[in-house]
mmCIF file of all heavy atoms in Angstrom:
data_model
loop_
_atom_site.group_PDB
_atom_site.id
_atom_site.type_symbol
_atom_site.label_atom_id
_atom_site.label_comp_id
_atom_site.label_asym_id
_atom_site.label_seq_id
_atom_site.Cartn_x
_atom_site.Cartn_y
_atom_site.Cartn_z
ATOM 1 N N HIS A 1 -8.671 -11.592 -9.726
ATOM 2 C CA HIS A 1 -9.174 -10.360 -10.340
ATOM 3 C C HIS A 1 -8.624 -9.110 -9.647
ATOM 4 O O HIS A 1 -9.114 -7.998 -9.883
ATOM 5 C CB HIS A 1 -10.705 -10.346 -10.320
ATOM 6 C CG HIS A 1 -11.316 -11.294 -11.305
ATOM 7 N ND1 HIS A 1 -11.435 -12.653 -11.067
ATOM 8 C CD2 HIS A 1 -11.819 -11.088 -12.552
ATOM 9 C CE1 HIS A 1 -12.007 -13.229 -12.104
ATOM 10 N NE2 HIS A 1 -12.254 -12.307 -13.014
ATOM 11 N N ILE A 2 -7.639 -9.302 -8.780
ATOM 12 C CA ILE A 2 -6.961 -8.188 -8.127
ATOM 13 C C ILE A 2 -5.496 -8.228 -8.541
ATOM 14 O O ILE A 2 -4.783 -9.176 -8.209
ATOM 15 C CB ILE A 2 -7.089 -8.277 -6.597
ATOM 16 C CG1 ILE A 2 -8.562 -8.193 -6.181
ATOM 17 C CG2 ILE A 2 -6.278 -7.163 -5.924
ATOM 18 C CD1 ILE A 2 -8.808 -8.430 -4.715
ATOM 19 N N PRO A 3 -5.026 -7.243 -9.279
ATOM 20 C CA PRO A 3 -3.641 -7.276 -9.756
ATOM 21 C C PRO A 3 -2.644 -6.852 -8.678
ATOM 22 O O PRO A 3 -3.017 -6.229 -7.675
ATOM 23 C CB PRO A 3 -3.656 -6.267 -10.905
ATOM 24 C CG PRO A 3 -4.699 -5.273 -10.501
ATOM 25 C CD PRO A 3 -5.764 -6.067 -9.777
ATOM 26 N N ASP A 4 -1.387 -7.206 -8.881
ATOM 27 C CA ASP A 4 -0.325 -6.664 -8.039
ATOM 28 C C ASP A 4 -0.331 -5.140 -8.147
ATOM 29 O O ASP A 4 -0.733 -4.571 -9.169
ATOM 30 C CB ASP A 4 1.039 -7.193 -8.493
ATOM 31 C CG ASP A 4 1.217 -8.680 -8.221
ATOM 32 O OD1 ASP A 4 0.493 -9.215 -7.360
ATOM 33 O OD2 ASP A 4 2.080 -9.304 -8.867
ATOM 34 N N GLY A 5 0.131 -4.491 -7.096
ATOM 35 C CA GLY A 5 0.250 -3.045 -7.130
ATOM 36 C C GLY A 5 -1.053 -2.298 -6.927
ATOM 37 O O GLY A 5 -1.126 -1.089 -7.196
ATOM 38 N N ALA A 6 -2.086 -2.974 -6.456
ATOM 39 C CA ALA A 6 -3.396 -2.338 -6.283
ATOM 40 C C ALA A 6 -3.621 -1.930 -4.833
ATOM 41 O O ALA A 6 -2.995 -2.440 -3.902
ATOM 42 C CB ALA A 6 -4.504 -3.296 -6.717
ATOM 43 N N SER A 7 -4.535 -0.993 -4.645
ATOM 44 C CA SER A 7 -5.028 -0.668 -3.298
ATOM 45 C C SER A 7 -6.376 -1.363 -3.129
ATOM 46 O O SER A 7 -7.234 -1.300 -4.014
ATOM 47 C CB SER A 7 -5.166 0.840 -3.106
ATOM 48 O OG SER A 7 -6.020 1.407 -4.092
ATOM 49 N N VAL A 8 -6.546 -2.042 -1.991
ATOM 50 C CA VAL A 8 -7.708 -2.909 -1.780
ATOM 51 C C VAL A 8 -8.269 -2.693 -0.381
ATOM 52 O O VAL A 8 -7.498 -2.597 0.591
ATOM 53 C CB VAL A 8 -7.311 -4.401 -1.917
ATOM 54 C CG1 VAL A 8 -8.546 -5.294 -1.840
ATOM 55 C CG2 VAL A 8 -6.543 -4.655 -3.196
ATOM 56 N N PHE A 9 -9.588 -2.624 -0.275
ATOM 57 C CA PHE A 9 -10.231 -2.619 1.045
ATOM 58 C C PHE A 9 -10.878 -3.985 1.262
ATOM 59 O O PHE A 9 -11.626 -4.463 0.411
ATOM 60 C CB PHE A 9 -11.290 -1.525 1.167
ATOM 61 C CG PHE A 9 -11.645 -1.230 2.599
ATOM 62 C CD1 PHE A 9 -11.187 -0.078 3.205
ATOM 63 C CD2 PHE A 9 -12.411 -2.119 3.351
ATOM 64 C CE1 PHE A 9 -11.486 0.191 4.542
ATOM 65 C CE2 PHE A 9 -12.701 -1.872 4.676
ATOM 66 C CZ PHE A 9 -12.247 -0.708 5.279
ATOM 67 N N LEU A 10 -10.601 -4.593 2.414
ATOM 68 C CA LEU A 10 -11.243 -5.846 2.820
ATOM 69 C C LEU A 10 -12.024 -5.576 4.099
ATOM 70 O O LEU A 10 -11.449 -5.137 5.091
ATOM 71 C CB LEU A 10 -10.204 -6.945 3.075
ATOM 72 C CG LEU A 10 -9.328 -7.367 1.898
ATOM 73 C CD1 LEU A 10 -8.311 -8.413 2.349
ATOM 74 C CD2 LEU A 10 -10.160 -7.923 0.759
ATOM 75 N N ASN A 11 -13.320 -5.854 4.075
ATOM 76 C CA ASN A 11 -14.113 -5.516 5.263
ATOM 77 C C ASN A 11 -14.300 -6.716 6.186
ATOM 78 O O ASN A 11 -13.589 -7.717 6.088
ATOM 79 C CB ASN A 11 -15.440 -4.856 4.862
ATOM 80 C CG ASN A 11 -16.506 -5.840 4.422
ATOM 81 O OD1 ASN A 11 -16.218 -6.969 4.019
ATOM 82 N ND2 ASN A 11 -17.759 -5.413 4.482
ATOM 83 N N ILE A 12 -15.261 -6.610 7.080
ATOM 84 C CA ILE A 12 -15.483 -7.631 8.099
ATOM 85 C C ILE A 12 -16.142 -8.864 7.488
ATOM 86 O O ILE A 12 -17.049 -8.746 6.666
ATOM 87 C CB ILE A 12 -16.386 -7.075 9.225
ATOM 88 C CG1 ILE A 12 -15.764 -5.820 9.839
ATOM 89 C CG2 ILE A 12 -16.625 -8.113 10.309
ATOM 90 C CD1 ILE A 12 -16.699 -5.073 10.783
ATOM 91 N N GLY A 13 -15.692 -10.056 7.901
ATOM 92 C CA GLY A 13 -16.346 -11.276 7.463
ATOM 93 C C GLY A 13 -15.377 -12.414 7.225
ATOM 94 O O GLY A 13 -14.204 -12.199 6.915
ATOM 95 N N THR A 14 -15.875 -13.625 7.363
ATOM 96 C CA THR A 14 -15.021 -14.789 7.159
ATOM 97 C C THR A 14 -14.682 -15.002 5.684
ATOM 98 O O THR A 14 -13.637 -15.544 5.362
ATOM 99 C CB THR A 14 -15.693 -16.046 7.732
ATOM 100 O OG1 THR A 14 -16.992 -16.222 7.136
ATOM 101 C CG2 THR A 14 -15.867 -15.941 9.241
ATOM 102 N N SER A 15 -15.552 -14.546 4.789
ATOM 103 C CA SER A 15 -15.251 -14.679 3.351
ATOM 104 C C SER A 15 -14.137 -13.723 2.946
ATOM 105 O O SER A 15 -13.262 -14.073 2.149
ATOM 106 C CB SER A 15 -16.512 -14.416 2.511
ATOM 107 O OG SER A 15 -17.480 -15.414 2.738
ATOM 108 N N THR A 16 -14.152 -12.499 3.483
ATOM 109 C CA THR A 16 -13.086 -11.557 3.162
ATOM 110 C C THR A 16 -11.770 -11.995 3.799
ATOM 111 O O THR A 16 -10.692 -11.730 3.260
ATOM 112 C CB THR A 16 -13.446 -10.129 3.592
ATOM 113 O OG1 THR A 16 -13.847 -10.121 4.955
ATOM 114 C CG2 THR A 16 -14.566 -9.575 2.734
ATOM 115 N N GLU A 17 -11.849 -12.685 4.930
ATOM 116 C CA GLU A 17 -10.631 -13.242 5.528
ATOM 117 C C GLU A 17 -10.037 -14.318 4.616
ATOM 118 O O GLU A 17 -8.803 -14.433 4.486
ATOM 119 C CB GLU A 17 -10.946 -13.812 6.912
ATOM 120 C CG GLU A 17 -11.228 -12.721 7.938
ATOM 121 C CD GLU A 17 -11.852 -13.230 9.218
ATOM 122 O OE1 GLU A 17 -11.715 -14.440 9.521
ATOM 123 O OE2 GLU A 17 -12.489 -12.429 9.932
ATOM 124 N N ALA A 18 -10.900 -15.095 3.957
ATOM 125 C CA ALA A 18 -10.408 -16.076 2.985
ATOM 126 C C ALA A 18 -9.722 -15.386 1.813
ATOM 127 O O ALA A 18 -8.701 -15.856 1.302
ATOM 128 C CB ALA A 18 -11.563 -16.952 2.496
ATOM 129 N N VAL A 19 -10.263 -14.245 1.382
ATOM 130 C CA VAL A 19 -9.631 -13.475 0.304
ATOM 131 C C VAL A 19 -8.262 -12.976 0.756
ATOM 132 O O VAL A 19 -7.291 -12.993 -0.014
ATOM 133 C CB VAL A 19 -10.527 -12.304 -0.137
ATOM 134 C CG1 VAL A 19 -9.796 -11.427 -1.158
ATOM 135 C CG2 VAL A 19 -11.840 -12.822 -0.728
ATOM 136 N N ALA A 20 -8.145 -12.555 2.006
ATOM 137 C CA ALA A 20 -6.842 -12.105 2.530
ATOM 138 C C ALA A 20 -5.805 -13.222 2.406
ATOM 139 O O ALA A 20 -4.663 -12.983 1.990
ATOM 140 C CB ALA A 20 -6.987 -11.662 3.981
ATOM 141 N N ARG A 21 -6.194 -14.436 2.737
ATOM 142 C CA ARG A 21 -5.255 -15.568 2.601
ATOM 143 C C ARG A 21 -4.879 -15.784 1.142
ATOM 144 O O ARG A 21 -3.727 -16.133 0.825
ATOM 145 C CB ARG A 21 -5.872 -16.831 3.194
ATOM 146 C CG ARG A 21 -6.102 -16.769 4.698
ATOM 147 C CD ARG A 21 -6.602 -18.081 5.284
ATOM 148 N NE ARG A 21 -6.978 -17.906 6.670
ATOM 149 C CZ ARG A 21 -8.199 -17.609 7.083
ATOM 150 N NH1 ARG A 21 -9.195 -17.472 6.200
ATOM 151 N NH2 ARG A 21 -8.465 -17.455 8.372
ATOM 152 N N ALA A 22 -5.843 -15.585 0.254
ATOM 153 C CA ALA A 22 -5.572 -15.775 -1.177
ATOM 154 C C ALA A 22 -4.681 -14.683 -1.746
ATOM 155 O O ALA A 22 -4.140 -14.836 -2.850
ATOM 156 C CB ALA A 22 -6.892 -15.842 -1.948
ATOM 157 N N LEU A 23 -4.506 -13.596 -1.018
ATOM 158 C CA LEU A 23 -3.663 -12.480 -1.471
ATOM 159 C C LEU A 23 -2.243 -12.536 -0.911
ATOM 160 O O LEU A 23 -1.452 -11.630 -1.156
ATOM 161 C CB LEU A 23 -4.303 -11.143 -1.071
ATOM 162 C CG LEU A 23 -5.600 -10.756 -1.788
ATOM 163 C CD1 LEU A 23 -6.197 -9.509 -1.159
ATOM 164 C CD2 LEU A 23 -5.374 -10.536 -3.281
ATOM 165 N N LEU A 24 -1.917 -13.588 -0.185
ATOM 166 C CA LEU A 24 -0.615 -13.651 0.475
ATOM 167 C C LEU A 24 0.556 -13.674 -0.506
ATOM 168 O O LEU A 24 1.669 -13.296 -0.142
ATOM 169 C CB LEU A 24 -0.552 -14.878 1.403
ATOM 170 C CG LEU A 24 -1.338 -14.729 2.712
ATOM 171 C CD1 LEU A 24 -1.351 -16.037 3.483
ATOM 172 C CD2 LEU A 24 -0.751 -13.611 3.573
ATOM 173 N N ALA A 25 0.324 -14.110 -1.741
ATOM 174 C CA ALA A 25 1.407 -14.148 -2.724
ATOM 175 C C ALA A 25 1.432 -12.905 -3.616
ATOM 176 O O ALA A 25 2.312 -12.770 -4.461
ATOM 177 C CB ALA A 25 1.284 -15.407 -3.592
ATOM 178 N N HIS A 26 0.491 -11.995 -3.438
ATOM 179 C CA HIS A 26 0.471 -10.769 -4.245
ATOM 180 C C HIS A 26 1.601 -9.830 -3.824
ATOM 181 O O HIS A 26 2.060 -9.853 -2.684
ATOM 182 C CB HIS A 26 -0.880 -10.059 -4.096
ATOM 183 C CG HIS A 26 -1.955 -10.577 -4.992
ATOM 184 N ND1 HIS A 26 -2.279 -11.912 -5.077
ATOM 185 C CD2 HIS A 26 -2.782 -9.927 -5.877
ATOM 186 C CE1 HIS A 26 -3.276 -12.061 -5.950
ATOM 187 N NE2 HIS A 26 -3.582 -10.874 -6.454
ATOM 188 N N ARG A 27 2.007 -8.982 -4.752
ATOM 189 C CA ARG A 27 3.106 -8.062 -4.513
ATOM 190 C C ARG A 27 2.629 -6.608 -4.561
ATOM 191 O O ARG A 27 1.702 -6.273 -5.303
ATOM 192 C CB ARG A 27 4.214 -8.275 -5.555
ATOM 193 C CG ARG A 27 4.817 -9.676 -5.538
ATOM 194 C CD ARG A 27 5.708 -9.903 -6.757
ATOM 195 N NE ARG A 27 6.801 -8.936 -6.793
ATOM 196 C CZ ARG A 27 7.969 -9.115 -6.192
ATOM 197 N NH1 ARG A 27 8.204 -10.220 -5.500
ATOM 198 N NH2 ARG A 27 8.925 -8.191 -6.272
ATOM 199 N N ASP A 28 3.283 -5.780 -3.763
ATOM 200 C CA ASP A 28 3.081 -4.324 -3.793
ATOM 201 C C ASP A 28 1.618 -3.919 -3.588
ATOM 202 O O ASP A 28 1.116 -3.008 -4.250
ATOM 203 C CB ASP A 28 3.581 -3.744 -5.124
ATOM 204 C CG ASP A 28 5.070 -4.015 -5.337
ATOM 205 O OD1 ASP A 28 5.819 -3.944 -4.352
ATOM 206 O OD2 ASP A 28 5.457 -4.305 -6.475
ATOM 207 N N LEU A 29 0.949 -4.587 -2.663
ATOM 208 C CA LEU A 29 -0.432 -4.223 -2.346
ATOM 209 C C LEU A 29 -0.468 -3.208 -1.213
ATOM 210 O O LEU A 29 0.385 -3.204 -0.328
ATOM 211 C CB LEU A 29 -1.233 -5.447 -1.907
ATOM 212 C CG LEU A 29 -1.602 -6.511 -2.931
ATOM 213 C CD1 LEU A 29 -2.421 -7.609 -2.234
ATOM 214 C CD2 LEU A 29 -2.386 -5.932 -4.090
ATOM 215 N N MET A 30 -1.476 -2.351 -1.238
ATOM 216 C CA MET A 30 -1.881 -1.614 -0.048
ATOM 217 C C MET A 30 -3.263 -2.126 0.323
ATOM 218 O O MET A 30 -4.199 -2.036 -0.485
ATOM 219 C CB MET A 30 -1.946 -0.105 -0.271
ATOM 220 C CG MET A 30 -2.544 0.631 0.940
ATOM 221 S SD MET A 30 -2.801 2.413 0.681
ATOM 222 C CE MET A 30 -1.139 2.998 0.985
ATOM 223 N N VAL A 31 -3.396 -2.689 1.505
ATOM 224 C CA VAL A 31 -4.686 -3.201 1.971
ATOM 225 C C VAL A 31 -5.157 -2.356 3.145
ATOM 226 O O VAL A 31 -4.450 -2.205 4.142
ATOM 227 C CB VAL A 31 -4.598 -4.684 2.381
ATOM 228 C CG1 VAL A 31 -5.912 -5.130 3.023
ATOM 229 C CG2 VAL A 31 -4.284 -5.556 1.174
ATOM 230 N N ILE A 32 -6.333 -1.781 2.987
ATOM 231 C CA ILE A 32 -6.984 -1.056 4.073
ATOM 232 C C ILE A 32 -8.077 -1.980 4.594
ATOM 233 O O ILE A 32 -8.790 -2.627 3.808
ATOM 234 C CB ILE A 32 -7.601 0.275 3.579
ATOM 235 C CG1 ILE A 32 -6.554 1.106 2.838
ATOM 236 C CG2 ILE A 32 -8.177 1.061 4.743
ATOM 237 C CD1 ILE A 32 -6.610 0.994 1.342
ATOM 238 N N THR A 33 -8.205 -2.072 5.895
ATOM 239 C CA THR A 33 -9.188 -2.997 6.445
ATOM 240 C C THR A 33 -9.717 -2.515 7.787
ATOM 241 O O THR A 33 -9.015 -1.830 8.534
ATOM 242 C CB THR A 33 -8.600 -4.416 6.599
ATOM 243 O OG1 THR A 33 -9.631 -5.320 7.031
ATOM 244 C CG2 THR A 33 -7.449 -4.432 7.597
ATOM 245 N N ASN A 34 -10.953 -2.867 8.072
ATOM 246 C CA ASN A 34 -11.519 -2.674 9.400
ATOM 247 C C ASN A 34 -11.747 -4.021 10.075
ATOM 248 O O ASN A 34 -12.611 -4.174 10.930
ATOM 249 C CB ASN A 34 -12.837 -1.879 9.337
ATOM 250 C CG ASN A 34 -13.927 -2.614 8.587
ATOM 251 O OD1 ASN A 34 -13.672 -3.343 7.625
ATOM 252 N ND2 ASN A 34 -15.166 -2.428 9.013
ATOM 253 N N ASN A 35 -10.911 -4.981 9.684
ATOM 254 C CA ASN A 35 -11.007 -6.353 10.191
ATOM 255 C C ASN A 35 -9.642 -6.737 10.762
ATOM 256 O O ASN A 35 -8.681 -6.932 10.012
ATOM 257 C CB ASN A 35 -11.409 -7.291 9.043
ATOM 258 C CG ASN A 35 -11.657 -8.708 9.500
ATOM 259 O OD1 ASN A 35 -11.154 -9.155 10.515
ATOM 260 N ND2 ASN A 35 -12.434 -9.441 8.717
ATOM 261 N N MET A 36 -9.541 -6.855 12.082
ATOM 262 C CA MET A 36 -8.267 -7.190 12.716
ATOM 263 C C MET A 36 -7.747 -8.547 12.261
ATOM 264 O O MET A 36 -6.531 -8.762 12.158
ATOM 265 C CB MET A 36 -8.432 -7.180 14.239
ATOM 266 C CG MET A 36 -8.769 -5.813 14.823
ATOM 267 S SD MET A 36 -7.430 -4.615 14.615
ATOM 268 C CE MET A 36 -6.231 -5.281 15.753
ATOM 269 N N ASN A 37 -8.649 -9.475 11.950
ATOM 270 C CA ASN A 37 -8.225 -10.794 11.485
ATOM 271 C C ASN A 37 -7.541 -10.702 10.122
ATOM 272 O O ASN A 37 -6.549 -11.382 9.859
ATOM 273 C CB ASN A 37 -9.430 -11.746 11.410
ATOM 274 C CG ASN A 37 -10.096 -11.926 12.750
ATOM 275 O OD1 ASN A 37 -9.434 -12.083 13.768
ATOM 276 N ND2 ASN A 37 -11.414 -11.877 12.777
ATOM 277 N N VAL A 38 -8.070 -9.855 9.243
ATOM 278 C CA VAL A 38 -7.454 -9.632 7.927
ATOM 279 C C VAL A 38 -6.042 -9.069 8.100
ATOM 280 O O VAL A 38 -5.092 -9.511 7.452
ATOM 281 C CB VAL A 38 -8.322 -8.682 7.075
ATOM 282 C CG1 VAL A 38 -7.522 -8.119 5.899
ATOM 283 C CG2 VAL A 38 -9.560 -9.421 6.557
ATOM 284 N N ALA A 39 -5.905 -8.079 8.981
ATOM 285 C CA ALA A 39 -4.588 -7.479 9.210
ATOM 286 C C ALA A 39 -3.595 -8.518 9.706
ATOM 287 O O ALA A 39 -2.448 -8.581 9.230
ATOM 288 C CB ALA A 39 -4.714 -6.336 10.214
ATOM 289 N N ASN A 40 -4.022 -9.375 10.624
ATOM 290 C CA ASN A 40 -3.135 -10.404 11.165
ATOM 291 C C ASN A 40 -2.755 -11.438 10.112
ATOM 292 O O ASN A 40 -1.632 -11.933 10.093
ATOM 293 C CB ASN A 40 -3.793 -11.084 12.370
ATOM 294 C CG ASN A 40 -3.828 -10.188 13.596
ATOM 295 O OD1 ASN A 40 -2.935 -9.358 13.787
ATOM 296 N ND2 ASN A 40 -4.862 -10.335 14.416
ATOM 297 N N ILE A 41 -3.684 -11.769 9.226
ATOM 298 C CA ILE A 41 -3.384 -12.720 8.151
ATOM 299 C C ILE A 41 -2.330 -12.141 7.211
ATOM 300 O O ILE A 41 -1.354 -12.818 6.845
ATOM 301 C CB ILE A 41 -4.672 -13.067 7.366
ATOM 302 C CG1 ILE A 41 -5.622 -13.911 8.225
ATOM 303 C CG2 ILE A 41 -4.340 -13.803 6.058
ATOM 304 C CD1 ILE A 41 -7.031 -13.993 7.676
ATOM 305 N N LEU A 42 -2.496 -10.880 6.824
ATOM 306 C CA LEU A 42 -1.636 -10.278 5.814
ATOM 307 C C LEU A 42 -0.276 -9.841 6.346
ATOM 308 O O LEU A 42 0.603 -9.467 5.559
ATOM 309 C CB LEU A 42 -2.353 -9.094 5.168
ATOM 310 C CG LEU A 42 -3.479 -9.506 4.207
ATOM 311 C CD1 LEU A 42 -4.310 -8.295 3.806
ATOM 312 C CD2 LEU A 42 -2.901 -10.181 2.968
ATOM 313 N N VAL A 43 -0.082 -9.908 7.661
ATOM 314 C CA VAL A 43 1.241 -9.644 8.221
ATOM 315 C C VAL A 43 2.274 -10.575 7.581
ATOM 316 O O VAL A 43 3.446 -10.205 7.413
ATOM 317 C CB VAL A 43 1.213 -9.824 9.759
ATOM 318 C CG1 VAL A 43 2.618 -9.969 10.328
ATOM 319 C CG2 VAL A 43 0.507 -8.638 10.407
ATOM 320 N N ALA A 44 1.854 -11.761 7.176
ATOM 321 C CA ALA A 44 2.767 -12.741 6.577
ATOM 322 C C ALA A 44 3.220 -12.346 5.177
ATOM 323 O O ALA A 44 4.154 -12.954 4.633
ATOM 324 C CB ALA A 44 2.104 -14.112 6.540
ATOM 325 N N ASN A 45 2.580 -11.352 4.570
ATOM 326 C CA ASN A 45 2.967 -10.892 3.231
ATOM 327 C C ASN A 45 3.812 -9.630 3.369
ATOM 328 O O ASN A 45 3.293 -8.529 3.572
ATOM 329 C CB ASN A 45 1.723 -10.609 2.380
ATOM 330 C CG ASN A 45 2.054 -10.199 0.948
ATOM 331 O OD1 ASN A 45 3.212 -9.952 0.624
ATOM 332 N ND2 ASN A 45 1.048 -10.135 0.108
ATOM 333 N N ALA A 46 5.133 -9.796 3.229
ATOM 334 C CA ALA A 46 6.047 -8.658 3.392
ATOM 335 C C ALA A 46 5.889 -7.631 2.286
ATOM 336 O O ALA A 46 6.370 -6.505 2.397
ATOM 337 C CB ALA A 46 7.488 -9.165 3.431
#
């Protein structure tokens, strides 16, 4: 339910970290987060 090219905020939590992993194949995202784990997960998405 999150399209490519969207701006997304992911907050603190293990469920939002799971969403970050599910977004690894998305394109042209801007992700704002206050969760260091989310940032580290999404580093893999160029």
Side-chain angles (χ1 to χ4, degrees):
H1 287 80
I2 298 173
D4 291 339
S7 57
V8 186
F9 198 105
L10 299 177
N11 80 338
I12 303 170
T14 56
S15 294
T16 52
E17 289 167 21
V19 174
R21 295 185 188 93
L23 291 173
L24 285 173
H26 276 52
R27 299 169 60 88
D28 300 321
L29 289 181
M30 173 186 279
V31 173
I32 307 98
T33 185
N34 64 326
N35 185 336
M36 296 294 290
N37 300 317
V38 163
N40 288 328
I41 290 165
L42 286 169
V43 163
N45 183 350

